[in-house]
């Protein structure tokens, strides 16, 4: 039976459990290592979905085919969000079982007029994305990912800094010998946002000419990628920590990687969706969205009407659409807002209420509410839904824990849960505990990842 007790999950595992855990962890490390942007994550989700028999909903709509129970389809929004459906036996107005996570993560975005030279060094100007401690991003090896769209519509894919032998990039820091004034600043001001510029070159094209280092960089990227300086105007380029996800600890019990918030929940949701095959009453849904780290805004964020519009198309393809039916479907749905939670760190114990915090290695985490100071801005799940979730998890022997983000009045955070709750559906936050959340490298426990995937499968089977 799953129990809300302070005990490590490891002690309950059989050799078969450990083997399954390591298989999931290996796939997860590969996903984290190769999918560091929303576009890369969506592309991989499409690849895995199609391998599991899912079809593009747009192809179905164009053909005029009617969908039926058991059919599996997906839809992509601007290459940055994706939703997958497995049609159930019940009418769609009875509601969906939804797993929803976000695939954007904190990073440094390259500005539209980024390249400049100063002091014989070439830099890219950036604007940080999401909530970061800016001082954590200096002197790290960084990789450049993204796309450049030329005037003729040609899309150039960029990934520099991940392959062996690739160059990397970095933000420099002031040497300690001259840092007396810098060290007097508070942590929020030690590194200013406008100083997070990326060092990209030092080799002059022609010695003595003005901005010759910048010219040399431009010559290299034009030769290799066919990109001119003005093409930065229509580019989406980001700097992320370079390198692969790794096992953490002598015992290899954890994973250290960039972007685990929230790709740990996105990956486990996707795997649970693809492995939850077979007939079921309720239609299953896996929703992976963009822009959560900046408020779920924009056409690819959860506040857009993408999900609602696609659901209308799905209902129409099933011969079940009506405006009232759509409203009933949304209101009758049940959702796990799959997002990470803070995990207890003994080095910063004063930030937590030890009785109400997630612990690494103790299973899937549920947050009844998030928000900040007096639960402001949160979705607060009702007790009946939480009781239903407990029954599901105990039936499937899933280890779980209930937690809050941190000590009352210290701070807080949010997820997509409150947005989906606007439809009147039952929603609760769930996912994996993380150490060093929003840092360039974050830590998670393998058993928490495995139990979370089990929990998502239990939800899809029982909701």
């Amino acid at each position: 039976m799953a129990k809300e007790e302070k005990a490590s999950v490891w002690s309950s595992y059989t050799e078969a459990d450990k083997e399954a855990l390591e298989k999931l962890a290996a796939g997860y490390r590969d996903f984290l290592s190769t999918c560091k942007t929303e576009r890369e994550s969506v592309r991989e989700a499409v690849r895995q979905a199609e391998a599991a028999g899912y079809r593009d909903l747009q192809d179905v709509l164009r053909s005029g085919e009617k969908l039926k129970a058991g059919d599996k389809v997906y839809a992509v929004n601007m290459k940055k969000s994706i939703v997958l459906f497995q049609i159930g036996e019940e009418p769609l107005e009875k509601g969906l079982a939804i797993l929803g996570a976000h695939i954007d993560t904190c990073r440094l975005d390259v500005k539209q007029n980024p390249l400049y030279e100063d002091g014989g060094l070439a830099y890219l100007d950036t604007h940080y994305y999401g909530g970061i401690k800016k001082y954590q991003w200096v002197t790290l090896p960084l990789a450049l990912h993204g796309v450049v769209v030329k005037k003729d519509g040609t899309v150039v894919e960029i990934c520099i800094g991940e392959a062996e032998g690739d160059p990397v990039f970095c933000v420099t820091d002031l040497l300690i010998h001259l840092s007396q004034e810098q060290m007097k600043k508070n942590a929020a001001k030690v590194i200013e946002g406008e100083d997070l510029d990326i060092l990209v070159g030092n080799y002059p094209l022609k010695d003595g000419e003005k901005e010759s280092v910048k010219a040399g960089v431009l010559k290299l990227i034009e030769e290799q990628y066919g990109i001119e300086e003005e093409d930065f105007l229509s580019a989406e380029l980001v700097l992320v920590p370079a390198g692969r996800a790794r096992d953490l600890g002598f015992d290899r019990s954890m994973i250290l990687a960039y972007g685990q918030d929230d790709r740990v929940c996105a990956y486990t949701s996707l795997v649970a969706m693809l492995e939850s095959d077979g007939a079921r009453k309720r239609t299953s849904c896996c929703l992976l969205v963009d822009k959560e780290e900046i408020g779920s805004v924009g056409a690819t964020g959860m506040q857009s009407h993408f999900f609602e519009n696609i659901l209308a198309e799905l209902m129409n393809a099933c011969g079940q659409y009506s405006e009232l039916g759509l409203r009933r479907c949304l209101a009758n749905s049940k959702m796990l807002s799959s997002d990470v939670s803070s995990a207890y760190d003994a080095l910063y114990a004063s930030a937590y209420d030890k009785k109400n915090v997630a612990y690494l290695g103790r299973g899937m985490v549920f947050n009844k509410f998030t928000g900040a100071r007096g639960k402001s801005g949160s979705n607060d799940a009702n007790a009946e839904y939480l009781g239903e979730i407990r029954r599901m998890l105990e039936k499937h022997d899933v280890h779980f824990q209930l937690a809050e983000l941190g000590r009352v009045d210290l701070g807080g955070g949010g997820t997509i849960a409150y947005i989906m709750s606007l439809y009147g559906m039952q929603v609760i936050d769930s996912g994996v505990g993380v150490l060093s959340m929003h840092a360039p490298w974050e830590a998670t426990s393998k058993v928490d990842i495995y139990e979370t995937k089990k929990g998502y499968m239990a939800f899809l089977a029982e909701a």
Side-chain angles (χ1 to χ4, degrees):
M1 296 286 288
K3 296 179 181 179
E4 297 172 76
E5 60 185 17
K6 305 294 186 182
S8 174
V9 177
W10 282 107
S11 59
S12 68
Y13 273 17
T14 64
E15 289 304 313
D17 291 327
K18 294 175 184 177
E19 184 177 342
L21 174 150
E22 290 297 344
K23 182 179 178 181
L24 179 68
Y28 175 54
R29 286 194 303 269
D30 287 342
F31 178 79
L32 288 174
S33 300
T34 57
C35 301
K36 294 188 176 182
T37 69
E38 303 83 41
R39 291 173 182 264
E40 291 165 350
S41 298
V42 167
R43 185 164 56 232
E44 176 61 16
V46 168
R47 186 193 70 80
Q48 292 193 27
E50 290 182 343
Y54 282 75
R55 294 179 293 159
D56 191 333
L57 180 59
Q58 295 303 320
D59 292 339
V60 174
L61 298 179
R62 280 190 289 268
S63 72
E65 176 187 348
K66 288 299 182 183
L67 294 173
K68 60 187 184 302
D71 285 343
K72 298 181 287 188
V73 293
Y74 69 86
V76 172
N77 181 19
M78 300 183 182
K79 302 180 181 180
K80 295 182 181 181
S81 300
I82 184 172
V83 60
L84 299 89
F85 299 98
Q86 182 176 330
I87 309 300
E89 297 171 355
E90 290 184 340
L92 284 164
E93 71 171 33
K94 296 288 188 180
L96 314 174
I98 305 171
L99 300 175
H102 68 91
I103 48 177
D104 62 312
T105 194
C106 299
R107 60 182 187 247
L108 303 180
D109 285 351
V110 175
K111 291 184 179 181
Q112 304 317 125
N113 293 292
L115 187 60
Y116 70 97
E117 179 180 339
D118 194 350
L121 300 172
Y123 298 90
L124 288 177
D125 199 1
T126 72
H127 191 137
Y128 66 91
Y129 175 96
I132 66 170
K133 293 179 178 179
K134 294 183 285 291
Y135 65 80
Q136 294 179 328
W137 286 78
V138 299
T139 67
L140 290 175
L142 300 173
L144 183 67
H145 289 239
V147 297
V148 178
V149 181
K150 302 171 73 172
K151 283 189 295 185
D152 63 3
T154 302
V155 179
V156 182
E157 297 273 353
I158 303 292
C159 183
I160 307 170
E162 301 292 359
E164 186 175 352
D166 273 3
V168 293
F169 311 95
C170 77
V171 179
T172 59
D173 194 10
L174 183 63
L175 64 162
I176 187 65
H177 310 74
L178 302 178
S179 297
Q180 290 85 346
E181 295 301 319
Q182 182 193 47
M183 299 291 278
K184 294 177 183 177
K185 298 179 180 180
N186 65 41
K189 297 291 184 179
V190 167
I191 302 294
E192 299 281 358
E194 283 292 355
D195 294 333
L196 290 172
D197 291 356
I198 310 300
L199 184 60
V200 297
N202 177 233
Y203 196 114
L205 184 63
K206 291 183 180 179
D207 199 23
E209 290 194 3
K210 185 179 179 181
E211 294 195 324
S212 189
V213 175
K214 173 183 173 180
V217 170
L218 286 171
K219 183 174 185 293
L220 286 171
I221 63 175
E222 184 173 5
E223 288 175 349
Q224 187 164 358
Y225 297 102
I227 296 170
E228 300 176 352
E229 184 173 10
E230 67 176 15
D231 292 327
F232 282 113
L233 295 174
S234 50
E236 289 180 2
L237 296 171
V238 304
L239 278 301
V240 298
R244 293 185 60 82
R246 305 284 295 273
D247 282 350
L248 174 62
F250 286 116
D251 54 12
R252 296 180 176 267
S253 61
M254 297 167 286
I255 290 177
L256 184 70
Y258 162 71
Q260 298 200 71
D261 175 13
D262 184 35
R263 291 193 179 102
V264 64
C265 296
Y267 182 76
T268 46
S269 294
L270 177 63
V271 171
M273 183 72 177
L274 299 183
E275 290 186 4
S276 297
D277 210 353
R280 62 184 65 252
K281 289 185 177 181
R282 189 184 288 260
T283 293
S284 301
C285 172
C286 177
L287 177 62
L288 308 179
V289 296
D290 184 21
K291 298 291 190 292
E292 191 274 346
E293 296 294 2
I294 58 171
S296 297
V297 295
T300 55
M302 196 65 250
Q303 292 196 56
S304 78
H305 291 288
F306 165 69
F307 178 67
E308 188 176 333
N309 293 343
I310 286 296
L311 185 53
E313 294 280 11
L314 183 78
M315 295 185 74
N316 194 55
C318 292
Q320 301 177 29
Y321 177 75
S322 71
E323 182 63 20
L324 181 58
L326 175 61
R327 297 298 151 197
R328 286 174 174 170
C329 177
L330 289 164
N332 290 330
S333 292
K334 297 176 181 179
M335 180 180 182
L336 295 186
S337 173
S338 306
D339 208 339
V340 298
S341 184
S342 60
Y344 177 75
D345 189 334
L347 299 182
Y348 307 98
S350 63
Y352 308 100
D353 170 8
K354 293 182 72 173
K355 303 182 302 300
N356 291 282
V357 65
Y359 289 82
L360 246 60
R362 295 179 182 174
M364 185 180 188
V365 182
F366 284 84
N367 295 95
K368 187 177 185 294
F369 56 87
T370 52
R373 287 175 292 277
K375 302 185 181 181
S376 176
S378 76
N379 167 69
D380 197 346
N382 63 43
E384 289 83 357
Y385 188 44
L386 191 52
E388 182 180 351
I389 294 294
R390 289 175 60 198
R391 289 192 294 273
M392 293 179 193
L393 300 177
E394 290 179 359
K395 179 178 178 180
H396 290 264
D397 196 28
V398 177
H399 296 261
F400 65 95
Q401 50 188 322
L402 272 292
E404 296 181 13
L405 194 63
R407 204 180 71 219
V408 174
D409 285 340
L410 188 63
T415 68
I416 65 172
Y418 77 96
I419 301 170
M420 299 299 277
S421 70
L422 295 175
Y423 293 116
M425 69 175 68
Q426 297 273 29
V427 186
I428 190 170
D429 285 299
S430 65
V432 177
V434 177
L435 294 178
S436 306
M437 192 192 302
H438 279 216
W441 296 92
E442 301 166 319
T444 56
S445 167
K446 289 180 180 179
V447 292
D448 296 339
I449 297 167
Y450 184 62
E451 291 296 321
T452 298
K453 179 247 186 178
K454 286 171 54 183
Y456 292 158
M457 292 191 72
F459 174 79
L460 293 177
E462 301 292 337

